[in-house]
Amino acid sequence: MCPHLAVSTLTYVYSDSTVVVGPLATYPEPHCYDLCASHSARMVPPRGWDIVKLQTDPESLKPSDNDLEELAQAVRTAGEARISSGPLETVGRRGHLRVVRESD
């Protein structure tokens, strides 16, 4: 197991006998493996297979200020919708927890 940070994801496409090395995946998939920069550069496909290396700019993968602003706005919008939905009524209690529902 490699101790270095992953920078790309290797994917085997068995139906095409192709290995694809591309941007780091955002969620796990079968037949996909994360690679560090060194292993990514040295990747050799199985005999008879093709390899496709997709080059990406690492800076383009980092969150931008715009991404953070959009996230903050989404949180604000969700909070406002919850506040304006109406008063809540306590219908049960267990220890420090309360069961609540919107009152009409």
Side-chain angles (χ1 to χ4, degrees):
M1 192 153 160
C2 180
H4 302 289
L5 293 175
V7 297
S8 63
T9 297
L10 172 142
T11 305
Y12 288 108
V13 184
Y14 290 96
S15 60
D16 296 332
S17 298
T18 303
V19 175
V20 179
V21 178
L24 196 58
T26 56
Y27 55 91
E29 287 282 338
H31 312 295
C32 292
Y33 306 91
D34 292 341
L35 303 174
C36 71
S38 175
H39 285 106
S40 180
R42 295 184 299 156
M43 175 58 199
V44 177
R47 186 175 297 147
W49 284 47
D50 295 321
I51 188 168
V52 175
K53 289 191 176 186
L54 304 172
Q55 299 298 323
T56 57
D57 176 20
E59 290 299 314
S60 69
L61 302 175
K62 293 181 179 177
S64 69
D65 289 340
N66 192 31
D67 293 339
L68 296 175
E69 289 174 18
E70 288 179 18
L71 177 60
Q73 183 57 39
V75 170
R76 274 190 228 105
T77 302
E80 289 169 359
R82 195 153 187 206
I83 290 170
S84 63
S85 64
L88 299 178
E89 172 188 346
T90 300
V91 293
R93 189 171 190 95
R94 184 170 185 165
H96 66 283
L97 302 175
R98 291 185 305 149
V99 177
V100 295
R101 71 171 172 218
E102 277 187 49
S103 49
D104 299 321

